[in-house]
Amino acid sequence: MIKSQDSKKITLWTRQDIKSLEHLRRNGVIRIKREHLKEKFDEISDYIIKLYNWFVEAADRMVPRPKNVEFPIWCSISEENMLRPTEHTVVYVLEVDESEIIYFDGTKWDYVLNHLYIPKDEEDEREYMEHIRNKGFKDSFSIMDENIGHFYPEERRKVMDSWMRVFEIDEWNIFRVQANIWEIRKDMIKDILYYNK
């Protein structure tokens, strides 16, 4: 993470579809829409969108979402760990006011993607695993299964409540910490990196 001379501004990197350049030219802003996610995630888009909806609701309580914004924009906090431009993408180098950034733990986000309980620590994980085994489950993914999950609303709620820990940064490093912003405005863009063969 690079803090610019104005300590309120943070440099972030985000890889986006090259078509975003046209959105930026036409609208002066880039926003992620449902159709972008459908195109990007294809067959698993409905699954991903449900989880993104959870993220949007949670993140909106921390950094209010601007009107007409559907989904956040994923960003890297370091140049070393950013996603590099590929043939049909560009990377925007952004300077963003810190108050507009939602930091989260990417490792914990993997728990959300897999419908798993995010433990507070090792002891909490051990206690939770013992708790669900005593109820006849092998893991929290079983509880979140849509075919049977509605029979266990308290267990589902416990798993989903644990997901808020995605915003708790236990270990600040460029491999774990990611950032989200709601939109990319022209005034945020400091550079655009293109794919070079």
Side-chain angles (χ1 to χ4, degrees), residues 98-110:
E98 196 167 26
S99 66
E100 295 183 58
I101 301 170
I102 304 149
Y103 291 108
F104 67 101
D105 185 319
T107 305
K108 292 177 183 178
W109 175 247
D110 289 343

Side-chain angles (χ1 to χ4, degrees), residues 123-180:
E123 183 179 341
D124 184 49
E125 182 173 24
R126 186 187 52 71
E127 287 173 2
Y128 177 74
M129 292 307 291
E130 186 178 321
H131 167 75
I132 62 170
R133 279 193 204 106
N134 288 340
K135 293 208 169 218
F137 296 104
K138 65 176 185 170
D139 55 39
S140 60
F141 185 81
S142 309
I143 295 163
M144 299 302 287
D145 183 306
E146 290 187 8
N147 295 321
I148 62 166
H150 60 279
F151 293 118
Y152 306 98
E154 288 177 29
E155 295 302 322
R156 281 177 62 94
R157 176 62 30 220
K158 185 175 182 127
V159 171
M160 292 180 76
D161 286 350
S162 80
W163 291 353
M164 286 304 291
R165 294 187 187 114
V166 78
F167 302 107
E168 297 172 9
I169 311 294
D170 304 322
E171 184 182 336
W172 190 277
N173 70 56
I174 62 170
F175 304 107
R176 290 184 69 123
V177 179
Q178 296 176 29
N180 263 298

Side-chain angles (χ1 to χ4, degrees), residues 2-141:
I2 300 172
K3 289 198 177 193
S4 61
Q5 289 176 340
D6 177 1
S7 64
K8 297 279 186 194
K9 298 283 185 183
I10 305 293
T11 302
L12 300 174
W13 294 259
T14 184
R15 184 172 72 189
Q16 298 296 322
D17 191 295
I18 201 158
K19 292 183 251 178
S20 64
L21 291 167
E22 180 57 26
H23 292 287
L24 182 65
R25 188 191 65 72
R26 219 177 32 241
N27 307 314
V29 68
I30 298 168
R31 292 180 174 153
I32 304 300
K33 303 266 185 211
R34 178 176 295 273
E35 60 264 23
H36 299 138
L37 297 178
K38 288 259 187 206
E39 186 178 317
K40 180 177 180 178
F41 293 108
D42 195 25
E43 295 168 359
I44 63 165
S45 63
D46 290 341
Y47 178 81
I48 295 295
I49 288 170
K50 280 183 186 177
L51 296 172
Y52 273 38
N53 283 333
W54 172 85
F55 190 99
V56 165
E57 188 179 312
D60 187 36
R61 290 188 294 240
M62 289 178 271
V63 176
R65 180 171 41 137
K67 189 177 179 187
N68 300 321
V69 169
E70 289 184 62
F71 296 101
I73 296 170
W74 252 245
C75 300
S76 298
I77 64 164
S78 74
E79 188 171 11
E80 305 111 295
N81 204 40
M82 74 174 188
L83 296 175
R84 305 290 186 249
T86 57
E87 191 172 354
H88 300 290
T89 68
V90 294
V91 170
Y92 294 95
V93 181
L94 308 172
E95 195 168 80
V96 182
D97 190 288
E98 196 167 26
S99 66
E100 295 183 58
I101 301 170
I102 304 149
Y103 291 108
F104 67 101
D105 185 319
T107 305
K108 292 177 183 178
W109 175 247
D110 289 343
Y111 281 74
V112 177
L113 288 175
N114 289 294
H115 283 175
L116 298 173
Y117 176 81
I118 302 175
K120 289 181 226 164
D121 51 34
E122 286 180 18
E123 183 179 341
D124 184 49
E125 182 173 24
R126 186 187 52 71
E127 287 173 2
Y128 177 74
M129 292 307 291
E130 186 178 321
H131 167 75
I132 62 170
R133 279 193 204 106
N134 288 340
K135 293 208 169 218
F137 296 104
K138 65 176 185 170
D139 55 39
S140 60
F141 185 81

